[in-house]
Amino acid sequence: MIHQLIKKVYDEYVSCDYTEEGNNFFYNWIAPEKIAERQKDSINIWLALIDTELVGMIEIRENKFISLLFVDKQYQRRGIAKHLFKEAIQHLIQNNAKPNKFYVHASPYSIPVYKSMGFIANGSMQQKHGIKYLPMENILNII
């Protein structure tokens, strides 16, 4: 279910900016068994559901990296990505993590989304494993 949402949104908006190597690397990263494997290492996933339909998801690594953030096309521009990010931060705080900065490697398509969530560029556009991204960070004001 999570894999299907990610792949659907990725294929429509992100894959065009990546090389074949990059797309293969990403598809391997989101394989259901890979997602499950990362969960064993305390990586957290939060889901957005409307009724029983999965409409969005976020995966956080090491309490400071957004590794996946996807919202279904028909539910974009409704604040779901921001809500998922805020929920993840609240959960981390409740579990005694003290996040003060978050990082993301933003795809070209997702840069405006992350900017609207308070992220700023932390370098220039890069490419690794065929994946083009802009390193970004968000300094949280949590006391």
Side-chain angles (χ1 to χ4, degrees):
M1 191 161 84
I2 294 170
H3 171 264
Q4 292 167 337
L5 169 72
I6 297 167
K7 186 172 184 323
K8 177 180 156 186
V9 177
Y10 175 87
D11 285 347
E12 185 163 356
Y13 295 107
V14 183
S15 65
C16 61
D17 289 319
Y18 292 178
T19 66
E20 182 178 350
E21 175 194 13
N23 287 321
N24 290 333
F25 184 88
F26 185 79
Y27 293 141
N28 181 56
W29 178 259
I30 65 162
E33 62 274 8
K34 296 287 185 157
I35 292 172
E37 185 179 304
R38 289 194 303 274
Q39 290 302 296
K40 292 178 185 175
D41 294 332
S42 300
I43 298 171
N44 297 299
I45 290 180
W46 289 266
L47 305 176
L49 300 169
I50 295 183
D51 296 322
T52 59
E53 181 182 0
L54 176 64
V55 300
M57 63 78 59
I58 188 170
E59 180 183 67
I60 305 287
R61 293 184 293 120
E62 301 172 25
N63 297 333
K64 61 183 174 181
F65 295 102
I66 296 176
S67 58
L68 297 168
L69 176 58
F70 287 87
V71 175
D72 187 272
K73 177 182 181 174
Q74 70 184 79
Y75 295 97
Q76 292 181 6
R77 302 191 188 283
R78 296 187 187 185
I80 292 172
K82 282 182 189 179
H83 180 74
L84 283 164
F85 183 51
K86 287 178 184 179
E87 285 294 317
I89 292 169
Q90 289 296 65
H91 178 82
L92 294 172
I93 291 169
Q94 290 170 358
N95 287 291
N96 297 319
K98 296 184 173 53
N100 60 356
K101 197 181 281 192
F102 269 84
Y103 302 92
V104 67
H105 287 170
S107 69
Y109 176 79
S110 68
I111 292 169
V113 175
Y114 286 110
K115 283 184 177 180
S116 76
M117 293 169 48
F119 284 79
I120 57 170
N122 184 22
S124 58
M125 191 65 76
Q126 300 179 29
Q127 186 166 319
K128 185 174 182 180
H129 303 294
I131 293 176
K132 189 186 299 184
Y133 66 91
L134 180 65
M136 299 182 83
E137 67 181 17
N138 183 327
I139 299 170
L140 304 175
N141 294 317
I142 300 172
I143 298 175

